[in-house]
Each structure stands twice: as structure tokens, then as C-alpha cells.
Amino acid sequence: MLRATDLACARGGVPVLEGVSFSLAPGEALILRGPNGVGKTTLLRTLAGLQPPIAGSVDFAEGTGAYASHADGIKAALTVTENLAFWARIHDRPVPEAVFGAFDLSDLRDRLAGTLSAGQKRRLGLARLEVIGRAVLFLDEPTVSLDAFSVKMFARWMREVHLGQGGCAVIATHIDLGLDAPDLNLSPFVAAPDAGGGADEAFL
């Protein structure tokens, strides 16, 4: 479903990681580990096709991937329901009724997103993942701003819904989500100081 082969990637034209290889079948997840600055975000952006690799390849079916960063991707002037409907229209899909319960948004349907707490905004941002229905997810610290209850809620959705229905995910996180998924420590893949570069992408 997703395969990375001998992947090398750069940040701002400077090589960061090299020799990264893994594969995920339907229903599998991979947890990226490593200290701040090791290259987790850069790897996720490269996997998702948002920046070119220096070397190697990434393979997954076209139109099946989605990348979610620290930004919640919501519109403050729209309600919770309107935000989800906005993303549903873009992807030509209905808003599944179950998404409100899955992310504890049932009592917030008519609230303007701009009035939500940081954790509530994060849950709304994560709820987009079910609405858009992409099978291959690249998630960068998805539980930022979430309390312990909400972290468990997200992990349950990931385990029972996304992975349970045959999706896969690569997740960069410093916490234990309780998923039956292997860790990939990126520290051994840090590029040598003299590694050849060549990418000219801007790091966002």
C-alpha cells in the first residue's frame, strides 16, 4: 500500500536523512521517533509528495494520500459542521454522521470554530481525516493540544476506523498512542555531513 525505498531527503537544500526504507500493508501503521530536528517532518513531507526526495522512491496509489501538519486547517468564521462540510465538498463526499461522536464534536456542531479551545480545534482538524476518506495518512504530531482523553479517542479512531477499514498511516509523535505499530527511530538515518544535496525546496 505504501513503500519507501532507499529514500534520502533534504531540508532547505541540506541533506537530512538517507537510506530510509519501509513498507506498509493495508491496516498497518508506522511510528516515527527521534529527537527534535532529526527530520521527522521533512520525511513526512517527502513521503506525501510535498517536496522532492534527493534519492530513492516513494510508492502509493495516486490520489490516496493526505498530509496533516501541526496546523488545524479550519476556518474560524465557520461552524464545526460547516468546516467539515467544506472539506467534504472539496473531496466530493458526504459528512459521515459518526465523525461527530468519534471526535467528541456532537455538542459543538453549531459553534464557530474561532470560539473553540485549542484542543477542540485540534479534534475538529483531525475529524477532517475521516471526512476526506484518504487511505494513506502522513501525520505530524497529530495529538498536539489534546488531553489524555482526546488522545485515547484519536487512537481508537485510528485503530478501529482508519486502520480497521484497511488504511495505513505514518505518524510522527513523541507519545505512546497504544497502537500495535512498530517504531522507526530516524537517528541512524541522519545524513552524513558531506552527503550530496541538490534539492532546493523551501522548508515550511
Side-chain angles (χ1 to χ4, degrees):
M1 192 170 199
L2 169 65
R3 181 181 298 275
T5 305
D6 202 21
L7 194 63
C9 51
R11 178 170 57 230
V14 178
V16 175
L17 298 169
E18 59 185 358
V20 179
S21 296
F22 66 85
S23 62
L24 293 179
E28 293 183 338
L30 180 70
I31 308 299
L32 301 182
R33 304 288 192 187
N36 292 335
V38 76
K40 296 186 294 294
T41 294
T42 300
L43 177 58
L44 285 172
R45 288 174 53 81
T46 304
L47 290 169
L50 299 179
Q51 62 185 57
I54 297 174
S57 62
V58 181
D59 298 297
F60 60 92
E62 184 176 356
T64 63
Y67 169 77
S69 68
H70 299 159
D72 295 318
I74 61 178
K75 295 182 177 293
L78 299 182
T79 67
V80 166
T81 298
E82 289 169 341
N83 266 280
L84 295 180
F86 169 81
W87 287 101
R89 284 195 299 271
I90 288 178
H91 292 270
D92 194 26
R93 291 169 53 88
V95 177
E97 180 62 25
V99 74
F100 294 98
F103 291 91
D104 196 20
L105 298 172
S106 297
D107 294 336
L108 303 173
R109 292 171 184 256
D110 299 324
R111 283 273 299 275
L112 292 177
T115 69
L116 301 176
S117 71
Q120 290 168 336
K121 289 177 180 176
R122 192 59 175 169
R123 295 204 310 268
L124 175 56
L126 291 172
R128 294 177 303 152
L129 300 176
E130 177 156 350
V131 170
I132 65 176
R134 295 295 180 94
V136 184
L137 298 181
F138 305 100
L139 307 181
D140 195 356
E141 295 291 350
T143 59
V144 168
S145 300
L146 294 184
D147 58 24
F149 174 79
S150 297
V151 169
K152 291 180 180 179
M153 182 180 301
F154 167 73
R156 183 170 60 248
W157 174 83
M158 175 59 64
R159 181 175 57 252
E160 298 178 2
V161 179
H162 182 69
L163 300 178
Q165 295 177 358
C168 72
V170 182
I171 307 171
T173 182
H174 292 286
I175 70 171
D176 182 6
L177 294 175
L179 300 176
D180 183 16
D183 290 353
L184 178 62
N185 181 2
L186 294 184
S187 295
F189 301 97
V190 171
D194 59 349
D200 59 359
E201 81 286 348
F203 177 66
L204 301 177

